[in-house]
Short mmCIF file of all heavy atoms in Angstrom, two decimals:
data_model
loop_
_atom_site.label_atom_id
_atom_site.label_comp_id
_atom_site.label_asym_id
_atom_site.label_seq_id
_atom_site.Cartn_x
_atom_site.Cartn_y
_atom_site.Cartn_z
N ALA A 1 6.14 -3.54 -10.79
CA ALA A 1 7.08 -4.63 -10.30
C ALA A 1 8.41 -4.03 -9.89
O ALA A 1 8.97 -4.39 -8.83
CB ALA A 1 7.25 -5.70 -11.39
N TRP A 2 8.92 -3.06 -10.68
CA TRP A 2 10.14 -2.40 -10.39
C TRP A 2 10.08 -1.63 -9.07
O TRP A 2 10.95 -1.62 -8.23
CB TRP A 2 10.55 -1.53 -11.53
CG TRP A 2 11.79 -0.64 -11.27
CD1 TRP A 2 13.05 -1.07 -11.22
CD2 TRP A 2 11.81 0.78 -11.03
NE1 TRP A 2 13.91 0.00 -10.95
CE2 TRP A 2 13.17 1.13 -10.84
CE3 TRP A 2 10.80 1.75 -10.96
CZ2 TRP A 2 13.53 2.44 -10.59
CZ3 TRP A 2 11.16 3.07 -10.72
CH2 TRP A 2 12.53 3.41 -10.51
N LEU A 3 8.96 -0.89 -8.87
CA LEU A 3 8.78 -0.13 -7.67
C LEU A 3 8.66 -1.05 -6.43
O LEU A 3 9.28 -0.79 -5.38
CB LEU A 3 7.48 0.67 -7.74
CG LEU A 3 7.52 1.92 -8.67
CD1 LEU A 3 6.09 2.51 -8.85
CD2 LEU A 3 8.46 2.96 -8.18
N ALA A 4 7.94 -2.17 -6.58
CA ALA A 4 7.72 -3.04 -5.46
C ALA A 4 8.98 -3.86 -5.11
O ALA A 4 9.47 -3.91 -3.96
CB ALA A 4 6.60 -4.04 -5.75
N GLU A 5 9.63 -4.47 -6.12
CA GLU A 5 10.73 -5.32 -5.88
C GLU A 5 12.07 -4.63 -5.81
O GLU A 5 12.96 -5.03 -5.05
CB GLU A 5 10.77 -6.42 -7.00
CG GLU A 5 9.52 -7.28 -7.02
CD GLU A 5 9.36 -8.06 -8.34
OE1 GLU A 5 10.35 -8.17 -9.06
OE2 GLU A 5 8.22 -8.50 -8.62
N GLY A 6 12.19 -3.56 -6.58
CA GLY A 6 13.49 -2.89 -6.62
C GLY A 6 13.64 -1.68 -5.69
O GLY A 6 14.73 -1.35 -5.22
N GLU A 7 12.46 -1.07 -5.42
CA GLU A 7 12.52 0.20 -4.64
C GLU A 7 11.76 0.11 -3.33
O GLU A 7 11.64 1.10 -2.62
CB GLU A 7 11.98 1.34 -5.50
CG GLU A 7 12.78 1.63 -6.76
CD GLU A 7 14.22 2.10 -6.44
OE1 GLU A 7 14.40 2.75 -5.36
OE2 GLU A 7 15.13 1.74 -7.24
N GLY A 8 11.21 -1.07 -3.01
CA GLY A 8 10.61 -1.26 -1.73
C GLY A 8 9.28 -0.58 -1.51
O GLY A 8 8.92 -0.27 -0.35
N PHE A 9 8.52 -0.33 -2.55
CA PHE A 9 7.21 0.34 -2.40
C PHE A 9 6.14 -0.66 -1.94
O PHE A 9 6.13 -1.82 -2.33
CB PHE A 9 6.80 0.94 -3.78
CG PHE A 9 7.23 2.37 -3.96
CD1 PHE A 9 8.55 2.61 -4.35
CD2 PHE A 9 6.32 3.38 -3.81
CE1 PHE A 9 8.99 3.93 -4.56
CE2 PHE A 9 6.75 4.70 -4.04
CZ PHE A 9 8.08 4.95 -4.41
N ARG A 10 5.22 -0.15 -1.14
CA ARG A 10 3.96 -0.89 -0.94
C ARG A 10 3.03 -0.45 -2.01
O ARG A 10 2.50 0.68 -2.01
CB ARG A 10 3.39 -0.48 0.43
CG ARG A 10 4.18 -0.91 1.63
CD ARG A 10 3.61 -0.43 2.94
NE ARG A 10 2.31 -1.07 3.24
CZ ARG A 10 1.63 -0.78 4.34
NH1 ARG A 10 2.08 0.11 5.24
NH2 ARG A 10 0.47 -1.39 4.58
N CYS A 11 2.82 -1.30 -2.99
CA CYS A 11 1.87 -0.98 -4.08
C CYS A 11 0.50 -1.37 -3.67
O CYS A 11 0.23 -2.55 -3.35
CB CYS A 11 2.36 -1.76 -5.34
SG CYS A 11 3.90 -1.15 -6.04
N LEU A 12 -0.39 -0.42 -3.67
CA LEU A 12 -1.71 -0.55 -3.07
C LEU A 12 -2.74 -0.35 -4.17
O LEU A 12 -2.84 0.77 -4.77
CB LEU A 12 -1.85 0.51 -2.03
CG LEU A 12 -3.10 0.49 -1.08
CD1 LEU A 12 -3.07 -0.71 -0.20
CD2 LEU A 12 -3.11 1.78 -0.24
N ALA A 13 -3.51 -1.38 -4.41
CA ALA A 13 -4.58 -1.28 -5.46
C ALA A 13 -5.92 -0.90 -4.85
O ALA A 13 -6.34 -1.48 -3.88
CB ALA A 13 -4.72 -2.63 -6.17
N ALA A 14 -6.55 0.09 -5.37
CA ALA A 14 -7.88 0.49 -4.90
C ALA A 14 -8.92 -0.42 -5.64
O ALA A 14 -9.05 -0.43 -6.87
CB ALA A 14 -8.19 1.95 -5.27
N VAL A 15 -9.59 -1.20 -4.87
CA VAL A 15 -10.53 -2.25 -5.44
C VAL A 15 -11.81 -2.10 -4.71
O VAL A 15 -11.93 -1.58 -3.63
CB VAL A 15 -9.95 -3.64 -5.39
CG1 VAL A 15 -8.73 -3.74 -6.32
CG2 VAL A 15 -9.55 -4.01 -3.97
N VAL A 16 -12.87 -2.76 -5.28
CA VAL A 16 -14.20 -2.72 -4.68
C VAL A 16 -14.61 -4.08 -4.09
O VAL A 16 -15.62 -4.13 -3.39
CB VAL A 16 -15.27 -2.23 -5.62
CG1 VAL A 16 -15.01 -0.82 -6.07
CG2 VAL A 16 -15.36 -3.14 -6.89
N GLN A 17 -13.85 -5.11 -4.40
CA GLN A 17 -14.25 -6.46 -3.89
C GLN A 17 -13.00 -7.36 -3.97
O GLN A 17 -11.94 -6.97 -4.42
CB GLN A 17 -15.40 -6.99 -4.71
CG GLN A 17 -15.06 -7.17 -6.18
CD GLN A 17 -16.23 -7.58 -7.00
OE1 GLN A 17 -17.32 -7.79 -6.47
NE2 GLN A 17 -16.11 -7.69 -8.27
N GLY A 18 -13.18 -8.59 -3.47
CA GLY A 18 -12.09 -9.56 -3.49
C GLY A 18 -11.37 -9.55 -2.18
O GLY A 18 -11.90 -9.10 -1.13
N THR A 19 -10.10 -10.12 -2.15
CA THR A 19 -9.34 -10.24 -0.94
C THR A 19 -8.65 -8.93 -0.69
O THR A 19 -7.61 -8.59 -1.18
CB THR A 19 -8.32 -11.32 -1.07
OG1 THR A 19 -9.00 -12.55 -1.42
CG2 THR A 19 -7.59 -11.58 0.24
N THR A 20 -9.28 -8.07 0.14
CA THR A 20 -8.76 -6.76 0.42
C THR A 20 -8.88 -6.41 1.90
O THR A 20 -9.52 -7.16 2.63
CB THR A 20 -9.58 -5.67 -0.37
OG1 THR A 20 -10.92 -5.70 0.12
CG2 THR A 20 -9.62 -5.93 -1.84
N GLN A 21 -8.33 -5.32 2.26
CA GLN A 21 -8.50 -4.77 3.63
C GLN A 21 -9.36 -3.53 3.52
O GLN A 21 -9.32 -2.79 2.50
CB GLN A 21 -7.20 -4.49 4.27
CG GLN A 21 -6.36 -3.48 3.55
CD GLN A 21 -4.95 -3.33 4.13
OE1 GLN A 21 -4.79 -3.30 5.35
NE2 GLN A 21 -3.97 -3.29 3.28
N SER A 22 -10.13 -3.28 4.53
CA SER A 22 -10.95 -2.00 4.61
C SER A 22 -9.92 -0.87 4.88
O SER A 22 -8.84 -1.03 5.47
CB SER A 22 -11.89 -2.05 5.75
OG SER A 22 -12.35 -0.80 6.11
N LEU A 23 -10.30 0.28 4.31
CA LEU A 23 -9.49 1.46 4.55
C LEU A 23 -9.36 1.78 6.09
O LEU A 23 -8.30 2.31 6.50
CB LEU A 23 -10.08 2.69 3.86
CG LEU A 23 -9.35 4.02 3.94
CD1 LEU A 23 -7.97 3.89 3.28
CD2 LEU A 23 -10.12 5.13 3.18
N TYR A 24 -10.36 1.35 6.86
CA TYR A 24 -10.31 1.55 8.28
C TYR A 24 -9.17 0.72 8.90
O TYR A 24 -8.68 1.09 9.96
CB TYR A 24 -11.65 1.11 8.89
CG TYR A 24 -12.80 1.89 8.58
CD1 TYR A 24 -14.08 1.40 8.64
CD2 TYR A 24 -12.68 3.28 8.12
CE1 TYR A 24 -15.20 2.17 8.31
CE2 TYR A 24 -13.80 4.03 7.83
CZ TYR A 24 -15.07 3.46 7.91
OH TYR A 24 -16.13 4.20 7.57
N GLU A 25 -8.81 -0.37 8.23
CA GLU A 25 -7.77 -1.29 8.80
C GLU A 25 -6.36 -0.87 8.33
O GLU A 25 -5.39 -1.39 8.92
CB GLU A 25 -8.05 -2.72 8.36
CG GLU A 25 -9.47 -3.26 8.84
CD GLU A 25 -9.84 -4.54 8.15
OE1 GLU A 25 -9.32 -4.82 7.06
OE2 GLU A 25 -10.75 -5.22 8.68
N PHE A 26 -6.24 -0.13 7.28
CA PHE A 26 -4.96 0.15 6.67
C PHE A 26 -4.09 1.06 7.60
O PHE A 26 -4.64 2.00 8.13
CB PHE A 26 -5.13 0.83 5.31
CG PHE A 26 -3.83 1.22 4.67
CD1 PHE A 26 -3.08 0.25 4.00
CD2 PHE A 26 -3.34 2.48 4.77
CE1 PHE A 26 -1.87 0.57 3.44
CE2 PHE A 26 -2.10 2.82 4.21
CZ PHE A 26 -1.39 1.87 3.54
N ARG A 27 -2.89 0.68 7.75
CA ARG A 27 -1.92 1.50 8.49
C ARG A 27 -0.67 1.69 7.71
O ARG A 27 -0.08 0.73 7.18
CB ARG A 27 -1.59 0.85 9.87
CG ARG A 27 -2.76 0.86 10.86
CD ARG A 27 -3.09 2.30 11.30
NE ARG A 27 -4.20 2.34 12.21
CZ ARG A 27 -5.47 2.49 11.87
NH1 ARG A 27 -5.78 2.55 10.57
NH2 ARG A 27 -6.43 2.55 12.78
N ARG A 28 -0.26 2.91 7.65
CA ARG A 28 1.03 3.27 6.93
C ARG A 28 2.06 3.56 8.00
O ARG A 28 1.86 4.35 8.91
CB ARG A 28 0.83 4.50 6.06
CG ARG A 28 2.10 4.89 5.32
CD ARG A 28 1.81 6.06 4.38
NE ARG A 28 2.98 6.37 3.54
CZ ARG A 28 2.97 7.21 2.55
NH1 ARG A 28 1.86 7.83 2.20
NH2 ARG A 28 4.08 7.43 1.87
N GLU A 29 3.18 2.87 7.84
CA GLU A 29 4.28 3.10 8.84
C GLU A 29 5.13 4.29 8.37
O GLU A 29 5.22 4.58 7.20
CB GLU A 29 5.18 1.83 8.89
CG GLU A 29 4.43 0.59 9.27
CD GLU A 29 3.79 0.69 10.69
OE1 GLU A 29 4.44 1.39 11.53
OE2 GLU A 29 2.70 0.09 10.89
N ARG A 30 5.74 4.93 9.36
CA ARG A 30 6.53 6.08 9.05
C ARG A 30 7.68 5.70 8.06
O ARG A 30 8.37 4.72 8.23
CB ARG A 30 7.17 6.64 10.33
CG ARG A 30 7.86 8.01 10.19
CD ARG A 30 8.44 8.42 11.54
NE ARG A 30 7.42 8.54 12.53
CZ ARG A 30 6.64 9.63 12.70
NH1 ARG A 30 6.82 10.65 11.92
NH2 ARG A 30 5.74 9.68 13.69
N GLY A 31 7.85 6.53 7.00
CA GLY A 31 8.89 6.31 6.03
C GLY A 31 8.51 5.35 4.90
O GLY A 31 9.22 5.18 3.92
N ASP A 32 7.30 4.73 4.99
CA ASP A 32 6.82 3.83 3.90
C ASP A 32 6.73 4.59 2.57
O ASP A 32 6.25 5.70 2.49
CB ASP A 32 5.44 3.30 4.24
CG ASP A 32 5.44 2.07 5.12
OD1 ASP A 32 6.55 1.54 5.40
OD2 ASP A 32 4.34 1.65 5.52
N ARG A 33 7.25 3.85 1.53
CA ARG A 33 6.96 4.38 0.18
C ARG A 33 5.70 3.68 -0.30
O ARG A 33 5.62 2.42 -0.30
CB ARG A 33 8.17 4.00 -0.73
CG ARG A 33 9.49 4.69 -0.34
CD ARG A 33 10.58 4.21 -1.21
NE ARG A 33 11.87 4.89 -0.91
CZ ARG A 33 13.00 4.57 -1.42
NH1 ARG A 33 13.06 3.63 -2.39
NH2 ARG A 33 14.10 5.22 -1.09
N VAL A 34 4.75 4.43 -0.75
CA VAL A 34 3.47 3.87 -1.19
C VAL A 34 3.07 4.33 -2.58
O VAL A 34 3.30 5.48 -2.94
CB VAL A 34 2.33 4.29 -0.20
CG1 VAL A 34 0.94 3.88 -0.70
CG2 VAL A 34 2.57 3.76 1.18
N ALA A 35 2.71 3.40 -3.45
CA ALA A 35 2.16 3.69 -4.75
C ALA A 35 0.71 3.24 -4.77
O ALA A 35 0.40 2.09 -4.61
CB ALA A 35 2.95 2.90 -5.83
N LEU A 36 -0.17 4.24 -4.90
CA LEU A 36 -1.63 3.97 -4.95
C LEU A 36 -2.00 3.81 -6.40
O LEU A 36 -1.81 4.74 -7.22
CB LEU A 36 -2.38 5.14 -4.32
CG LEU A 36 -3.91 5.10 -4.43
CD1 LEU A 36 -4.48 3.88 -3.69
CD2 LEU A 36 -4.50 6.40 -3.92
#
């Protein structure tokens, strides 16, 4: 929560089902902070 709300991270959960996007569809923008 601190990373997402306070530090602007895109927190990305690796999941096998549910409401998700395919890895083929994922795009990271230049400068993005990402927490996998």
Side-chain angles (χ1 to χ4, degrees):
W2 174 72
L3 288 170
E5 298 164 17
E7 298 297 327
F9 270 77
R10 293 176 68 179
C11 293
L12 186 69
V15 293
V16 296
Q17 59 187 358
T19 306
T20 64
Q21 60 187 315
S22 163
L23 183 60
Y24 295 154
E25 301 166 340
F26 177 81
R27 290 293 178 268
R28 179 176 186 171
E29 301 300 327
R30 190 181 300 276
D32 275 354
R33 296 174 179 176
V34 173
L36 173 64

